[in-house]
Amino acid sequence: DQQVKQNSPSLSVQEGRISILNCDYTNSMFDYFLWYKKYPAEGPTFLISISSIKDKNEDGRFTVFLNKSAKHLSLHIVPSQPGDSAVYFCAARIPEYGNKLVFGAGTILRVKS
Amino acid sequence: GAGVSQSPSNKVTEKGKDVELRCDPISGHTALYWYRQRLGQGLEFLIYFQGNSAPDKSGLPSDRFSAERTGESVSTLTIQRTQQEDSAVYLCASSLVLDTEAFFGQGTRLTVV
């Protein structure tokens, strides 16, 4: 049962353009959503999060949007840079288990210079 | 150390042997998680510790897998009678219970031959 889905395995974007990474979820009990970035041979690193009571959170070039009615969130990266090339994981928190995170399968982002 | 530390970073073992993977979380973090990432797949939750107890063991794939945590610090994930399908990167993460961000180690790449 995949509660968090990232339906695009990969995305290729030109440097300077916007990257949009999408994530869908099924469990309405999730209270926080997070994006992690992972480079090869490294552990995932936290990027940005959003509470379920908000619809937008912005941090520099990164903005996360949450549409609760559609159970959909997206990560926007503007402008995209070659160093942003990585695997991006969407994750959702289940409150009754502390910080247990349910992860999506990831999307490989390639930013071409 | 400042971050989550995992050892060994790489482990090659023969099918049928037992392996132990170690995780040193960030000091003071009461929550500790083990995840697994098989080649080309997303992060799969294995087990979660709150202090030294594991309220959720639902992700352990089989009874060959076990984990323990002592002193609200170091955790060991043990895989008995390893099989080739156990080959994966095993990731450990820790967090403050009320925090939303989990910090990951660099992972242990396990290869069963």
Side-chain angles (χ1 to χ4, degrees):
Chain A
D1 175 27
Q2 280 191 295
Q3 298 186 64
V4 177
K5 295 182 182 179
Q6 293 177 256
N7 292 318
S8 298
S10 65
L11 174 68
S12 187
V13 173
Q14 196 67 36
E15 180 180 7
R17 299 289 186 100
I18 184 171
S19 296
I20 300 177
L21 298 144
N22 293 303
C23 180
D24 297 293
Y25 63 95
T26 57
N27 191 338
S28 58
M29 298 303 293
F30 291 141
D31 69 341
Y32 260 94
F33 301 89
L34 305 90
W35 285 94
Y36 280 81
K37 176 178 171 179
K38 185 180 184 301
Y39 293 116
E42 295 183 12
T45 55
F46 171 76
L47 195 56
I48 192 170
S49 66
I50 188 168
S51 165
S52 60
I53 62 173
K54 297 191 174 181
D55 55 18
K56 178 182 176 182
N57 187 26
E58 190 173 353
D59 183 3
R61 296 186 298 113
F62 303 91
T63 303
V64 57
F65 295 92
L66 175 63
N67 182 334
K68 282 190 69 176
S69 62
K71 293 191 173 66
H72 176 84
L73 68 155
S74 61
L75 174 67
H76 292 209
I77 307 173
V78 182
S80 301
Q81 300 173 353
D84 296 329
S85 298
V87 179
Y88 289 79
F89 291 100
C90 171
R93 188 177 82 161
I94 301 178
E96 65 266 27
Y97 284 115
N99 277 352
K100 175 183 174 180
L101 297 175
V102 179
F103 282 84
T107 297
I108 300 170
L109 174 65
R110 296 187 185 91
V111 180
K112 298 175 289 186
S113 55
Chain B
V4 177
S5 178
Q6 291 186 245
S7 60
S9 54
N10 281 284
K11 175 72 177 178
V12 180
T13 190
E14 292 181 353
K15 178 181 173 181
K17 295 286 180 75
D18 298 351
V19 294
E20 280 190 357
L21 311 180
R22 177 187 168 107
C23 173
D24 285 272
I26 293 173
S27 177
H29 280 194
T30 58
L32 185 147
Y33 308 83
W34 283 98
Y35 288 86
R36 174 171 77 173
Q37 185 181 20
R38 289 168 157 165
L39 188 63
Q41 299 186 21
L43 299 178
E44 175 188 0
F45 170 77
L46 297 179
I47 191 169
Y48 150 68
F49 286 92
Q50 175 53 43
N52 293 330
S53 64
D56 184 2
K57 300 181 182 179
S58 63
L60 293 177
S62 74
D63 59 7
R64 296 186 295 105
F65 287 72
S66 62
E68 65 174 16
R69 188 181 185 195
T70 56
E72 297 198 359
S73 180
V74 174
S75 176
T76 303
L77 177 68
T78 301
I79 309 173
Q80 296 178 309
R81 305 180 303 281
T82 51
Q83 303 294 314
Q84 287 186 330
E85 64 261 27
D86 299 334
S87 296
V89 175
Y90 289 81
L91 290 157
C92 174
S94 70
S95 68
L96 293 171
V97 175
L98 297 181
D99 198 3
T100 55
E101 180 181 348
F103 294 85
F104 282 83
Q106 83 284 5
T108 294
R109 180 175 296 279
L110 175 66
T111 304
V112 182
V113 297

Coordinates of all heavy atoms in Angstrom, one line a residue, chain A residues 49-88:
Chain A
S49 N 9.9 21.7 4.4 CA 8.8 21.0 4.9 C 7.6 21.9 4.9 O 7.7 23.1 4.7 CB 9.0 20.4 6.3 OG 9.1 21.5 7.2
I50 N 6.4 21.3 5.1 CA 5.2 22.1 5.2 C 4.2 21.4 6.1 O 4.0 20.2 6.1 CB 4.5 22.4 3.8 CG1 3.4 23.4 3.9 CG2 4.1 21.1 3.1 CD1 2.9 23.9 2.6
S51 N 3.6 22.2 7.0 CA 2.5 21.6 7.9 C 1.3 21.5 7.1 O 1.0 22.2 6.1 CB 2.3 22.6 9.0 OG 1.1 22.3 9.7
S52 N 0.4 20.5 7.5 CA -0.8 20.2 6.8 C -1.8 21.4 7.0 O -2.8 21.4 6.3 CB -1.4 18.9 7.3 OG -1.7 19.0 8.7
I53 N -1.5 22.3 7.9 CA -2.5 23.5 8.0 C -2.1 24.6 7.1 O -2.8 25.7 7.1 CB -2.5 23.9 9.5 CG1 -1.2 24.4 10.0 CG2 -3.0 22.8 10.4 CD1 -1.2 25.0 11.4
K54 N -1.0 24.5 6.4 CA -0.6 25.5 5.5 C -0.7 25.1 4.0 O -0.9 23.9 3.8 CB 0.8 26.0 5.8 CG 1.0 26.5 7.2 CD 2.3 27.2 7.4 CE 2.4 27.9 8.7 NZ 3.7 28.6 8.9
D55 N -0.6 26.1 3.1 CA -0.7 25.7 1.7 C 0.6 26.0 0.9 O 0.7 25.7 -0.2 CB -1.9 26.2 1.0 CG -2.0 27.7 1.2 OD1 -1.0 28.4 1.5 OD2 -3.1 28.3 1.0
K56 N 1.5 26.8 1.6 CA 2.7 27.2 0.9 C 3.8 27.4 1.9 O 3.5 28.0 3.0 CB 2.4 28.4 0.1 CG 3.6 29.0 -0.7 CD 3.2 30.3 -1.4 CE 4.4 30.9 -2.0 NZ 4.1 32.2 -2.7
N57 N 5.0 27.0 1.6 CA 6.2 27.4 2.4 C 7.3 27.6 1.4 O 7.6 26.8 0.5 CB 6.5 26.2 3.4 CG 7.6 26.7 4.3 OD1 7.8 27.8 4.6 ND2 8.4 25.7 4.8
E58 N 8.0 28.7 1.6 CA 9.1 29.2 0.7 C 10.4 29.3 1.5 O 10.4 29.8 2.6 CB 8.7 30.5 0.1 CG 9.5 31.0 -1.0 CD 8.9 32.2 -1.7 OE1 7.8 32.6 -1.4 OE2 9.6 32.8 -2.6
D59 N 11.4 28.8 0.8 CA 12.8 29.0 1.4 C 13.8 29.2 0.3 O 14.2 28.2 -0.4 CB 13.1 27.7 2.2 CG 14.5 27.9 2.9 OD1 15.1 28.9 2.8 OD2 14.9 26.9 3.6
G60 N 14.1 30.4 0.0 CA 15.0 30.7 -1.1 C 14.4 30.3 -2.4 O 13.3 30.7 -2.8
R61 N 15.2 29.5 -3.1 CA 14.8 29.0 -4.5 C 13.7 27.9 -4.4 O 13.2 27.5 -5.4 CB 16.0 28.5 -5.2 CG 17.0 29.6 -5.5 CD 18.1 29.0 -6.4 NE 18.9 27.9 -5.8 CZ 18.9 26.7 -6.3 NH1 18.1 26.4 -7.3 NH2 19.6 25.8 -5.7
F62 N 13.4 27.4 -3.2 CA 12.6 26.3 -3.0 C 11.2 26.7 -2.4 O 11.2 27.4 -1.4 CB 13.2 25.2 -2.1 CG 14.6 24.7 -2.6 CD1 15.7 25.4 -2.2 CD2 14.6 23.7 -3.5 CE1 17.0 24.9 -2.7 CE2 15.9 23.2 -4.0 CZ 17.0 23.9 -3.6
T63 N 10.1 26.2 -3.0 CA 8.8 26.5 -2.5 C 8.0 25.2 -2.6 O 8.1 24.5 -3.6 CB 8.1 27.5 -3.4 OG1 8.8 28.7 -3.4 CG2 6.7 27.8 -2.8
V64 N 7.3 24.9 -1.5 CA 6.5 23.7 -1.5 C 5.0 24.2 -1.4 O 4.7 25.1 -0.6 CB 6.9 22.7 -0.3 CG1 6.8 23.4 1.0 CG2 6.0 21.5 -0.4
F65 N 4.2 23.6 -2.2 CA 2.8 23.9 -2.2 C 2.0 22.6 -1.8 O 2.3 21.5 -2.2 CB 2.3 24.3 -3.7 CG 2.9 25.5 -4.2 CD1 4.1 25.5 -4.9 CD2 2.3 26.8 -3.9 CE1 4.7 26.7 -5.4 CE2 2.9 27.9 -4.4 CZ 4.1 27.9 -5.1
L66 N 1.0 22.8 -1.0 CA 0.1 21.7 -0.5 C -1.3 22.0 -0.9 O -1.9 23.0 -0.6 CB 0.3 21.6 1.0 CG -0.6 20.5 1.6 CD1 -0.3 19.1 1.1 CD2 -0.5 20.5 3.1
N67 N -1.9 21.0 -1.6 CA -3.3 21.1 -1.9 C -4.0 19.9 -1.2 O -4.0 18.8 -1.7 CB -3.5 21.0 -3.4 CG -5.0 21.1 -3.8 OD1 -5.9 20.8 -3.1 ND2 -5.2 21.5 -5.1
K68 N -4.6 20.2 0.0 CA -5.1 19.1 0.8 C -6.3 18.5 0.2 O -6.5 17.3 0.3 CB -5.5 19.7 2.2 CG -4.3 19.9 3.1 CD -4.7 20.2 4.5 CE -5.4 19.0 5.2 NZ -5.7 19.3 6.6
S69 N -7.2 19.3 -0.5 CA -8.4 18.7 -1.1 C -8.0 17.6 -2.1 O -8.7 16.6 -2.3 CB -9.3 19.7 -1.6 OG -8.6 20.5 -2.6
A70 N -6.9 17.9 -2.8 CA -6.4 17.0 -3.9 C -5.4 16.0 -3.4 O -5.0 15.1 -4.1 CB -5.8 17.8 -5.0
K71 N -5.0 16.1 -2.1 CA -4.0 15.3 -1.5 C -2.7 15.3 -2.4 O -2.2 14.2 -2.8 CB -4.5 13.9 -1.3 CG -5.6 13.7 -0.2 CD -5.8 12.3 0.2 CE -6.7 12.1 1.4 NZ -8.1 12.6 1.1
H72 N -2.3 16.5 -2.7 CA -1.2 16.7 -3.6 C -0.3 17.7 -3.1 O -0.7 18.8 -2.6 CB -1.8 17.1 -5.0 CG -0.7 17.4 -6.0 ND1 -0.1 16.4 -6.8 CD2 -0.1 18.5 -6.4 CE1 0.8 16.9 -7.6 NE2 0.8 18.2 -7.4
L73 N 1.0 17.5 -3.2 CA 2.0 18.6 -3.0 C 3.0 18.6 -4.1 O 3.2 17.6 -4.8 CB 2.6 18.4 -1.6 CG 3.6 17.3 -1.3 CD1 4.5 17.7 -0.1 CD2 2.8 16.1 -0.8
S74 N 3.7 19.8 -4.2 CA 4.7 19.9 -5.2 C 5.8 20.8 -4.7 O 5.6 21.6 -3.8 CB 4.1 20.6 -6.5 OG 3.5 21.8 -6.2
L75 N 7.0 20.5 -5.2 CA 8.2 21.3 -4.9 C 8.6 22.0 -6.1 O 8.8 21.4 -7.2 CB 9.3 20.3 -4.5 CG 10.7 21.0 -4.2 CD1 10.6 21.9 -3.0 CD2 11.8 19.9 -4.0
H76 N 8.7 23.3 -6.0 CA 9.2 24.2 -7.1 C 10.6 24.7 -6.8 O 10.9 25.2 -5.7 CB 8.3 25.4 -7.3 CG 6.9 25.0 -7.8 ND1 6.1 25.9 -8.5 CD2 6.1 23.9 -7.6 CE1 5.0 25.3 -8.8 NE2 5.0 24.1 -8.2
I77 N 11.5 24.5 -7.8 CA 12.8 25.0 -7.7 C 13.0 26.1 -8.8 O 13.0 25.8 -10.0 CB 13.9 23.9 -7.8 CG1 13.6 22.8 -6.9 CG2 15.3 24.4 -7.6 CD1 14.5 21.5 -7.1
V78 N 13.3 27.3 -8.4 CA 13.4 28.4 -9.3 C 14.5 29.4 -8.9 O 14.4 29.9 -7.7 CB 12.1 29.2 -9.5 CG1 12.3 30.3 -10.5 CG2 11.0 28.3 -9.8
P79 N 15.6 29.7 -9.7 CA 15.9 29.0 -10.9 C 16.6 27.7 -10.7 O 17.4 27.6 -9.7 CB 16.8 30.0 -11.6 CG 17.5 30.7 -10.5 CD 16.5 30.7 -9.4
S80 N 16.5 26.7 -11.5 CA 17.2 25.4 -11.3 C 18.6 25.6 -11.6 O 19.0 26.3 -12.6 CB 16.5 24.4 -12.2 OG 15.2 24.2 -12.0
Q81 N 19.5 24.9 -10.9 CA 20.9 24.9 -11.1 C 21.4 23.5 -11.3 O 20.9 22.6 -10.7 CB 21.6 25.6 -9.9 CG 21.1 27.0 -9.6 CD 21.7 27.6 -8.3 OE1 22.3 26.8 -7.5 NE2 21.5 28.8 -8.1
P82 N 22.6 23.3 -12.0 CA 23.1 22.0 -12.2 C 23.3 21.3 -10.8 O 23.2 20.0 -10.8 CB 24.4 22.3 -12.9 CG 24.2 23.5 -13.7 CD 23.3 24.4 -12.7
G83 N 23.7 22.0 -9.8 CA 23.9 21.3 -8.5 C 22.7 20.8 -7.8 O 22.7 20.1 -6.8
D84 N 21.5 21.1 -8.4 CA 20.2 20.6 -7.9 C 20.0 19.2 -8.4 O 19.1 18.5 -7.9 CB 19.1 21.5 -8.3 CG 19.1 22.9 -7.8 OD1 19.7 23.1 -6.7 OD2 18.6 23.8 -8.5
S85 N 20.8 18.7 -9.3 CA 20.6 17.4 -9.9 C 20.8 16.4 -8.8 O 21.9 16.3 -8.2 CB 21.6 17.2 -11.0 OG 21.4 18.0 -12.1
A86 N 19.8 15.6 -8.5 CA 19.8 14.7 -7.4 C 18.5 13.9 -7.4 O 17.6 14.1 -8.3 CB 19.9 15.4 -6.0
V87 N 18.3 13.0 -6.5 CA 17.0 12.3 -6.3 C 16.3 13.0 -5.2 O 16.8 13.3 -4.2 CB 17.2 10.8 -5.9 CG1 15.8 10.2 -5.7 CG2 18.0 10.1 -7.0
Y88 N 15.0 13.4 -5.5 CA 14.2 14.1 -4.5 C 13.1 13.1 -4.0 O 12.3 12.6 -4.8 CB 13.5 15.3 -5.2 CG 14.6 16.4 -5.4 CD1 15.4 16.3 -6.5 CD2 14.7 17.5 -4.6 CE1 16.4 17.3 -6.7 CE2 15.7 18.4 -4.8 CZ 16.5 18.3 -5.9 OH 17.5 19.3 -6.1

